[in-house]
Amino acid sequence: MKPIATGHLAAGLSLMLCLASVQTHAAEGEQLLLPALGSERVRLVINAATDADAMRPLILDFQQMAPDVTVEFNDYVTNDLFREAEMACAMGNAFGDLLLSSSVDQLVKLANDGCAQTHRSPETENVPAWANWRDEVFGFTFEPAVIVYDSRRVPPEDVPRSHVEIAELLRAKPEVYRGRIGTYDIEASGVGYLLAFHDALQAPTSFGRLLESLSRADVVTRCCNNEVLGEINNGKLRIAYNVLGSYAYAASLRNSDLKVLIPRDYTLILSRGALVPQHAAHVGEAQRFLDYLLSPRGKQVAREQAFFFAEGAPLPQGVDGPSSSLIESGIGRPIRIGPALLAAQDRATRQGFIENWAALFRPSIKGTDQ
């Protein structure tokens, strides 16, 4: 199948732009090695922009079904994973057996460039159309982009329940929340860029107001969910915007003062993507693990122990949101895995989006501890 050509977005979109301040070059995360339960027959290498703690219960359960498989799990920042995978593909080299990333636009770009293998199975046939592109990139999670706040430092009357209310809060109480709001650095984070890009598409007017308010409030930007959540946990921040719900809910389980809120105007839904690279060494094992992730058994483990949110299911206990499922409520807006995501990866579009964002935020930067 021929690659799909990408073009520039409308000029008006570039005016709404988006997120980042300090350029951070985050180091790669940890390596997790889970030995086979029996005699090792093969080592499955998973390279992922996904928290190792979230993937551990899934890998351990998979090994109950495949006791002869050792799993090596390497945790990357999204942009680093994409860069390494793109380079390996261009050179015809292997780069792991399976790629997992929250930055699904980057996976779609890899697939469009001929860097993915096709996989069809009974499990892939049950993947919703919005989470399957060409049987090459599959979404295996259901993760809303949420607001997190510290209930010790944010009084009930200040809790923002929409994107517009964040902007209004920062305009009403600029000194209270100056330097106390955190979000992604979209220059360092692929998923941060993806969410910001779709915020601009979803609600350009309200997003523009939000960006202006964040700029005036000296928003703190970080490469990763865990950095932002860590700074709320230690009291440096009071509110985090556009944090993935899976990480946010896990943090709230560890600290009951952290509250997770579903924005009421709309909530972007991300499905973390999986791709088998063109030059994978152990294709059969990679496809077997992918099928496990997409299976009812894998989805149950993911909901109960790893990612907590699921399509068509009630919100996890304690999450402030609609009583019905996110899709049924009309609030949830899934980011469709497909050719439209290639627009986000168009070089000129991406560069212009980030430059506009940076121009809005950098003048207010006073420094960083990164």
Side-chain angles (χ1 to χ4, degrees):
M1 188 174 293
K2 294 182 179 180
I4 299 174
T6 59
H8 300 276
L9 292 182
L13 173 62
S14 66
L15 299 176
M16 288 293 104
L17 310 172
C18 39
L19 279 144
S21 51
V22 184
Q23 290 190 6
T24 50
H25 301 282
E28 296 172 5
E30 65 182 296
Q31 181 185 83
L32 180 66
L33 185 64
L34 296 173
L37 301 180
S39 298
E40 178 182 322
R41 176 181 59 84
V42 66
R43 176 174 294 197
L44 174 66
V45 178
I46 301 173
N47 292 331
T50 300
D51 188 70
D53 287 339
M55 290 302 301
R56 184 190 298 269
L58 289 160
I59 295 172
L60 291 174
D61 188 56
F62 169 74
Q63 288 179 311
Q64 294 293 323
M65 304 165 56
D68 57 352
V69 177
T70 290
V71 177
E72 176 187 320
F73 182 88
N74 300 302
D75 185 15
Y76 288 80
V77 173
T78 47
N79 286 349
D80 292 345
L81 178 72
F82 176 63
R83 182 177 60 251
E84 295 292 334
E86 190 175 44
M87 185 181 306
C89 178
M91 299 180 66
N93 296 333
F95 178 64
D97 302 309
L98 186 67
L99 304 182
L100 308 178
S101 180
S102 54
S103 186
V104 288
D105 55 328
Q106 293 177 339
L107 295 187
V108 169
K109 176 66 165 59
L110 288 171
N112 191 62
D113 290 346
C115 302
Q117 298 201 33
T118 300
H119 176 52
R120 297 184 181 91
S121 69
E123 287 77 14
T124 65
E125 291 178 359
N126 292 324
V127 176
W130 66 268
N132 177 355
W133 190 48
R134 301 194 321 197
D135 293 319
E136 295 175 348
V137 181
F138 302 93
F140 68 95
T141 65
F142 185 85
E143 300 180 67
V146 303
I147 297 169
V148 183
Y149 65 94
D150 183 349
S151 61
R152 298 167 300 179
R153 296 176 173 86
V154 179
E157 64 271 17
D158 284 3
V159 174
R161 287 185 164 79
S162 70
H163 299 80
V164 172
E165 288 186 14
I166 296 177
E168 292 175 347
L169 174 66
L170 297 182
R171 291 187 179 199
K173 299 183 176 181
E175 296 306 321
V176 174
Y177 292 100
R178 187 178 307 280
R180 300 293 186 180
I181 309 293
T183 191
Y184 279 109
D185 175 351
I186 68 165
E187 290 183 281
S189 169
V191 66
Y193 167 74
L194 177 65
L195 293 174
F197 188 86
H198 278 79
D199 272 331
L201 291 174
Q202 187 67 47
T205 301
S206 62
F207 187 57
R209 290 179 59 195
L210 174 60
L211 291 181
E212 181 185 359
S213 297
L214 290 173
S215 173
R216 292 175 182 273
D218 293 342
V219 64
V220 174
T221 60
R222 296 290 181 256
C223 78
C224 317
N225 282 280
N226 287 337
E227 287 194 13
V228 175
L229 291 169
E231 294 196 26
I232 289 188
N233 190 62
N234 64 26
K236 291 183 178 180
L237 298 177
R238 298 186 182 184
I239 299 173
Y241 160 68
N242 257 5
V243 176
L244 289 181
S246 56
Y247 298 133
Y249 189 70
S252 73
L253 293 178
R254 295 189 294 269
N255 180 353
S256 61
D257 292 319
L258 301 187
K259 304 301 181 183
V260 179
L261 184 149
I262 302 292
R264 298 301 200 274
D265 45 355
Y266 71 88
T267 297
L268 295 176
I269 307 293
L270 176 79
S271 187
R272 197 174 297 265
L275 173 154
V276 179
Q278 185 62 43
H279 304 290
H282 304 106
V283 175
E285 284 72 21
Q287 292 175 340
R288 186 178 180 187
F289 185 73
L290 174 55
D291 283 342
Y292 164 77
L293 292 177
L294 301 174
S295 70
R297 175 171 173 166
K299 289 180 179 179
Q300 181 177 353
V301 174
R303 184 184 179 195
E304 294 176 355
Q305 302 181 46
F307 296 104
F308 307 111
F309 294 82
E311 184 174 5
L315 295 173
Q317 185 176 3
V319 173
D320 184 345
S323 56
S324 59
S325 72
L326 288 179
I327 301 301
E328 291 177 351
S329 69
I331 292 175
R333 310 292 167 81
I335 297 175
R336 187 179 184 89
I337 298 176
L341 288 180
L342 294 172
Q345 282 299 312
D346 175 75
R347 187 179 301 275
T349 299
R350 177 182 168 83
Q351 181 178 350
F353 193 83
I354 291 177
E355 285 178 354
N356 279 274
W357 173 280
L360 185 62
F361 282 91
R362 282 197 179 119
S364 65
I365 294 174
K366 304 297 190 295
T368 178
D369 58 1
Q370 290 289 302

